Each structure stands twice: as C-alpha cells, then as structure tokens.
Amino acid sequence: VPDGADLRDLTDHDDVLEIVATERCSLFIPDSTEPVYHCRQAVVGAGQIEAQFVAPLIGSGDELIGTLQVGFRQGHPMDRERIGLWTGFSQKMAAALERALESEERRRLEKISEVWNKILQKPTSAGGQEEPLLKLTTEISRQLEATYEHLRLPEVFQGIAQYKLSAAVGALAE
C-alpha cells in the first residue's frame, strides 16, 4: 500500500481480498497469521498459507474481474522490484482472463443468435409464438447456465397493455 494512501478504517470483519479489490492495490503479506492483515484464519490454516501476494485483476474500463493470490513460504524475500513484477504479471493475467471471458461470451451469444435466426426464418401462425420462444429461452438458459428464465411479452387485452408470460424454462416454470 503506498505511503499516505487514503484507506478507509478497517474492522475485524474486513477481509484482505475485499480490501485489495475495493482499494485496487497490490499487497504483500509476510505472515498471513497476523490479524493486522485481515486474512481469514480458517482458510490460512486449511491452505497452509504462510506469506502471500494479493493483487486485484482489473480489466479494461477499470472493471474488477477478480483477485490473484500467490502463496510463498514465510520469510520469502519480497522487495519493490518483485512486487512490481508480480503486479505486472497480475495485469497481464487480467487482460488474458478478460479476453477469454469475452470470447466465451461471444460464443454463447452466437449460439443464442443461431436459434433466434432460425425462429425468424420460420413463418408464424396466429398465436404460434409459444413454441419458438420456448426454444429461444431454453437455449438462453442453456448458454447462460441459468436454472430459470422466462420471457414476458406485451399483449393488449380489452385495450390495456399487459405483459403475458410467453415462455418459461426451469423449475419455477413447471
């Protein structure tokens, strides 16, 4: 943490990962068992974490993707140069992770678009929207790994626009 950084007051409930994520700063912890570093002691014990480097993974647009933790043996030498190298590594990791997430998102959107395009190419009969929309919501749920999804579309009944449940997928739909 830079000298004179404007950090908020910490409580016993704060966690080092939350601190690194919200303050957007890298941190080297020479002894994870020390309470001053706000490490979860159950995790420290279970993982046998002695010393660690923690950095935020920040993507484009200053979006927080996650955090990186690298464990070391207690007494591991860490100076400004090494912290700089680990921080640079975390930035490269964030960029690679962001590209992978974007690629996965594009792949899923392409699958959803394929289903949507097939629906648009078929002629529809009056009131025949249910089945194609159900196919669309099923594909959206599958691609997003959602447990439930529904679509509500506007429908005019007695001159009043209402949103009617048009397609539902998942346990709540049944």
Side-chain angles (χ1 to χ4, degrees):
V1 178
D3 292 337
D6 186 23
L7 297 177
R8 60 185 168 75
D9 291 332
L10 301 177
T11 69
D12 290 340
H13 301 289
D14 284 314
D15 175 73
V16 68
L17 297 178
E18 293 171 17
I19 296 166
V20 165
T22 58
E23 300 297 335
R24 308 288 173 104
C25 63
S26 298
L27 184 63
F28 177 69
I29 301 168
D31 184 353
S32 298
T33 62
E34 289 290 327
V36 69
Y37 295 112
H38 296 272
C39 299
R40 292 185 188 155
Q41 293 306 306
V43 176
V44 167
Q48 300 176 358
I49 302 169
E50 295 176 14
Q52 60 180 306
F53 170 80
V54 186
L57 298 176
I58 301 172
S60 62
D62 202 33
E63 180 184 353
L64 181 71
I65 298 172
T67 58
L68 169 70
Q69 285 180 278
V70 181
F72 301 99
R73 293 276 174 220
Q74 201 160 0
H76 181 83
M78 187 66 71
D79 55 20
R80 286 183 186 264
E81 184 178 341
R82 287 186 177 125
I83 288 176
L85 290 172
W86 279 111
T87 300
F89 175 75
S90 68
Q91 291 168 347
K92 289 178 184 176
M93 181 179 261
L97 183 57
E98 184 174 48
R99 284 191 302 274
L101 291 170
E102 287 171 352
S103 175
E104 179 65 17
E105 181 181 7
R106 276 193 303 277
R107 186 192 65 75
R108 289 176 185 216
L109 287 173
E110 285 172 5
K111 293 285 188 185
I112 293 168
S113 293
E114 284 176 23
V115 172
W116 180 244
N117 287 332
K118 286 178 185 176
I119 290 170
L120 290 176
Q121 291 171 3
K122 291 183 180 179
T124 59
S125 58
Q129 292 179 327
E130 301 279 332
E131 184 182 334
L133 289 176
L134 190 57
K135 286 181 183 178
L136 178 63
T137 54
T138 300
E139 184 62 23
I140 291 170
S141 290
R142 193 171 72 75
Q143 291 300 322
L144 300 180
E145 299 173 3
T147 57
Y148 174 75
E149 182 178 336
H150 70 260
L151 290 178
R152 291 185 184 272
L153 298 176
E155 180 177 87
V156 177
F157 180 72
Q158 296 179 346
I160 300 170
Q162 300 175 350
Y163 283 88
K164 178 187 171 207
L165 181 63
S166 298
V169 176
L172 293 175
E174 296 165 359

